[in-house]
Amino acid sequence: MKNLFAIALFIIQPVIAQDILESFDLDGANRFTGKTIYRFEVESEDISERSLIVNKIKGDISVQGSIGREIVIIEKMKIKSLSQRKAEKLFEEHKSKVSRPSKADQFIIVGTDSKSSKINYSYKIEVPSHFNLNLYTSSGDLNCDKITGEIKCQTSGGDLELAGLSGRLEAKTSGGEITLEDSQGSLNVSTSGGDVEIRNSEGVVVGRTSGGDIEGENITGDLNVRTSGGEIE
């Protein structure tokens, strides 16, 4: 079975990514960690053709801009199970789908429909510093750092940490706090149930919260902030 699986990976590898690495380890009593690493090489110099779409994810997402042309996607799955065999089966059956349409610099990560409480996901992603992002997670934190482009990020149940961004930003959380710093451009952040902190940023800056405080420091440009149930400092 392992040989057949290795052959299958070899066949699909050129379509999905240039390099796929997997590991599966015991991480304490009845706890296992499975990790899949995907590597891609970006072809286009045109930022309008570069995009990362992440959808239907459950878990934390961290996206870091870097020098170079490589995209690295690391999906980590922490699995609770009394049996290693069952844990390995969950790992194989519930990995996210990672794809790249033929001859394009659009990269797509789609989470599974698994409702298992035994699996905890997290994603660490590295992209070239000039890139467009469209990120969504239903139950985790979002972190974006050192990226220029059109950035859309949303979480239904976590915090947003945004730093070193440039371009157009739309960021929303339904139940967490937002920190935005060292950024510039058209910056729009909103939360339904947490505080908003904006520091060392410039441009058209909009901050909204329905149930928290807003704190700003060293902001230049057009600032528009509003809270329905807190203070503005």
Side-chain angles (χ1 to χ4, degrees):
M1 181 62 70
K2 289 184 178 179
N3 289 337
L4 290 176
F5 179 65
I7 292 172
L9 269 183
F10 178 78
I11 292 172
I12 65 174
Q13 185 169 314
V15 178
I16 296 179
Q18 290 156 321
D19 189 21
I20 302 174
L21 299 174
E22 289 187 340
S23 63
F24 190 86
D25 301 298
L26 179 65
D27 190 23
N30 303 324
R31 294 178 183 272
F32 302 85
T33 297
K35 185 164 64 174
T36 307
I37 303 174
Y38 304 85
R39 296 181 184 272
F40 302 89
E41 189 78 17
V42 174
E43 297 177 358
S44 177
E45 296 287 351
D46 186 352
I47 189 174
S48 67
E49 298 181 2
R50 296 177 167 189
S51 65
L52 172 68
I53 301 171
V54 181
N55 195 19
K56 295 183 179 179
I57 293 299
K58 301 173 184 177
D60 298 339
I61 302 173
S62 175
V63 183
Q64 174 77 42
S66 65
I67 299 173
R69 303 175 66 89
E70 188 176 50
I71 290 184
V72 182
I73 299 167
I74 302 175
E75 179 185 51
K76 184 179 290 186
M77 299 166 61
K78 290 187 175 293
I79 302 169
K80 297 179 182 178
S81 177
L82 297 175
S83 161
Q84 180 168 340
R85 181 182 61 82
K86 290 182 179 179
E88 289 177 345
K89 188 170 186 287
L90 287 171
F91 174 61
E92 295 301 336
E93 292 181 350
H94 296 288
K95 288 183 288 188
S96 298
K97 293 181 175 63
V98 178
S99 63
R100 174 187 194 174
S102 180
K103 296 182 180 180
D105 278 336
Q106 182 184 76
F107 305 89
I108 302 171
I109 306 172
V110 180
T112 68
D113 294 326
S114 172
K115 297 181 180 179
S116 175
S117 61
K118 296 180 179 180
I119 306 174
N120 181 273
Y121 294 87
S122 65
Y123 299 82
K124 186 176 181 180
I125 304 170
E126 183 178 299
V127 300
S129 58
H130 288 69
F131 226 82
N132 300 310
L133 305 178
N134 192 335
L135 313 174
Y136 173 76
T137 176
S138 61
S139 59
D141 298 334
L142 275 172
N143 182 305
C144 295
D145 189 22
K146 295 182 176 62
I147 298 167
T148 296
E150 183 172 343
I151 302 163
K152 296 181 180 179
C153 50
Q154 182 176 353
T155 173
S156 297
D159 298 333
L160 296 173
E161 294 188 9
L162 312 165
L165 306 181
S166 180
R168 180 180 295 273
L169 169 68
E170 293 183 19
K172 298 179 181 179
T173 173
S174 299
E177 299 183 346
I178 299 176
T179 301
L180 172 65
E181 58 186 356
D182 302 324
S183 299
Q184 61 182 356
S186 176
L187 311 172
N188 191 325
V189 298
S190 63
T191 173
S192 299
D195 298 334
V196 176
E197 295 184 18
I198 304 172
R199 298 189 295 269
N200 303 324
S201 297
E202 62 178 297
V204 179
V205 183
V206 179
R208 297 282 187 271
T209 176
S210 298
D213 299 332
I214 297 178
E215 181 178 343
E217 179 182 350
N218 193 24
I219 301 169
T220 59
D222 185 358
L223 176 64
N224 187 336
V225 295
R226 184 175 65 196
T227 175
S228 301
E231 298 179 349
I232 297 177
E233 298 180 10

